Amino acid sequence: MLDENDLYNRIQDDFPLHTRPYQTAGEAFDLSERAMLSLLARDVGNGRISRIGAVFAPNTIGASTVAALSIPLARIDRVVERINSDPDISQSHAREGHRYNLWFVAGARDRTTLDGVLSRLAMDIGQRPIDLPLEREYRTDLGLPLGVTRSPRRAPQQPLQMLNAPLRPDLDEADWRLAAALESGLALTPQPYHALARRTGLALSETLARLARWRSAGVIRRFGAILRHRPFGYTHNVMCVWNVPDARVDAVGLRLAHVPHVTMCFRRTRRLPAWQYNLFAMIHARSANELHTTLARFDAVGGLADAPCAVLQASQCYKQRGTRFGGAMPEF
């Protein structure tokens, strides 16, 4: 009998770069190509899966930032409507625990364009978002460990890897077309890379070669099934932030990245006096007990005990998808 948890654990990272990838992926589970496609179509349709595709390392393709607003509850629906209508906004969440209660992720082809996105939002909303760009990445792993063991799918990167981001590739127009074509994910057809190649104007072999280069260089962080957290039981989404002295933040961030159930850990820019925090950790947990156990473990992380801290729990997810760069793309 098929264990869907085992299947999804496998295909969250290493989806085949093969002319018939669904057939190849299904073979390890004695699934036919048709059965694999039917299973994925079901879970895309019911919202358990966002897409089959790429997650790029931060700021290797285009530019992105996390930003926040302080919005009275009476206005929040109207502000969310404005934010979510912008194609450059990929995620938005309400969070409790701080006066900055509306958080979003913005991305664009370059930083100049991204600044324009934030300026337009500020003009329409009447408040300039605090802009918190990434300075250093200690851990990013949004693949969900499924099954009863709840063990992490992978260990954090080694320290040297964590401190050195992938080299930003020199993208030509074909690369930008490929990045844009990946935004909506691979087609649920037997030969999805053929369709991707047609959309980008590249030969099939060149399309697969570019994806392989990006993946081996770390530009593509994950390539596979992008699962939605809540339908798989991860109902607790908490962002913890600390103000750690700059001279110590890297050492603390590296230790924090190894705490179980920490899925992301970053250093981000402070915005004084409005925002004092520079170290961020995201927790995705399946129960209140799992969440509280993780929060308690933070007390044992050296360098955090006396650091000013805030805990912001997600109370509402308004929008969640991958960053899109197609709006800046020329027609092919």
Side-chain angles (χ1 to χ4, degrees):
M1 182 177 178
L2 175 66
D3 186 328
E4 292 185 9
N5 287 332
D6 285 347
L7 186 150
Y8 283 138
N9 278 331
R10 176 80 63 88
I11 67 170
Q12 286 185 73
D13 289 286
D14 298 318
F15 195 72
L17 292 177
H18 186 277
T19 55
R20 299 190 79 111
Y22 299 110
Q23 181 182 71
T24 302
E27 287 173 352
F29 298 91
D30 295 323
L31 284 180
S32 68
E33 182 179 66
R34 181 189 293 269
M36 174 65 83
L37 285 167
S38 295
L39 174 65
L40 294 175
R42 180 201 72 187
D43 283 347
V44 168
N46 64 24
R48 293 195 344 140
I49 296 178
S50 171
R51 67 191 188 281
I52 309 295
V55 175
F56 289 101
N59 295 322
T60 55
I61 300 289
S64 63
T65 194
V66 166
L69 293 158
S70 178
I71 304 296
L73 292 180
R75 290 189 60 216
I76 200 163
D77 288 343
R78 183 175 297 179
V79 174
V80 167
E81 183 178 5
R82 167 61 184 89
I83 288 173
N84 287 357
S85 68
D86 194 316
D88 299 301
I89 306 302
S90 57
Q91 299 182 40
S92 61
H93 294 80
R95 291 192 178 276
E96 301 172 347
H98 196 276
R99 70 183 183 90
Y100 282 101
N101 59 342
L102 182 56
W103 290 76
F104 61 93
V105 178
R109 185 161 172 170
D110 52 53
R111 184 66 219 199
T112 300
T113 304
L114 182 56
D115 287 340
V117 172
L118 297 177
S119 294
R120 290 193 300 274
L121 285 174
M123 184 175 298
D124 293 346
I125 294 168
Q127 179 185 150
R128 181 76 186 183
I130 55 166
D131 174 14
L132 305 170
L134 176 71
E135 291 186 350
R136 186 153 288 173
E137 176 186 16
Y138 307 113
R139 182 185 180 104
T140 302
D141 185 10
L142 283 180
L144 304 180
L146 304 179
V148 296
T149 62
R150 303 187 180 187
S151 58
R153 297 176 319 112
R154 63 169 79 141
Q157 302 106 308
Q158 295 300 311
L160 287 178
Q161 292 173 306
M162 282 191 270
L163 294 175
N164 294 283
L167 292 177
R168 188 181 182 92
D170 185 13
L171 303 181
D172 60 23
E173 287 304 316
D175 286 323
W176 282 112
R177 291 196 298 270
L178 179 57
L182 282 168
E183 290 166 2
S184 57
L186 296 181
L188 295 178
T189 59
Q191 296 179 309
Y193 297 118
H194 289 69
L196 194 65
R198 287 193 295 272
R199 292 174 64 190
T200 59
L202 293 168
L204 174 63
S205 60
E206 181 61 21
T207 299
L208 291 171
R210 291 185 188 222
L211 292 176
R213 285 197 298 270
W214 283 351
R215 193 153 75 173
S216 64
V219 173
I220 290 179
R221 177 62 49 75
R222 275 199 308 124
F223 194 84
I226 313 301
L227 311 185
R228 297 190 187 277
H229 297 91
R230 286 186 175 275
F232 283 90
Y234 284 83
T235 53
H236 296 268
N237 173 327
V238 172
M239 183 174 74
C240 298
V241 294
W242 295 265
N243 182 354
V244 178
D246 291 342
R248 293 165 41 204
V249 65
D250 288 337
V252 176
L254 291 171
R255 291 193 289 269
L256 185 60
H258 286 78
V259 174
H261 306 297
V262 169
T263 53
M264 294 190 289
C265 188
F266 298 113
R267 177 179 177 175
R268 293 189 178 276
T269 303
R270 293 187 186 89
R271 296 299 186 192
L272 298 174
W275 184 260
Q276 64 173 313
Y277 306 106
N278 62 337
L279 181 59
F280 291 62
M282 191 75 71
I283 303 168
H284 288 84
R286 286 187 271 195
S287 67
N289 181 63
E290 195 170 82
L291 171 62
H292 294 146
T293 299
T294 302
L295 292 172
R297 287 191 175 109
F298 291 161
D299 293 336
V301 175
L304 287 184
D306 299 323
C309 175
V311 178
L312 290 76
Q313 180 146 353
S315 57
Q316 181 73 43
C317 176
Y318 298 110
K319 185 177 186 179
Q320 189 166 17
R321 60 161 174 75
T323 302
R324 294 184 177 173
F325 306 104
M329 299 288 296
E331 292 294 327
F332 179 78

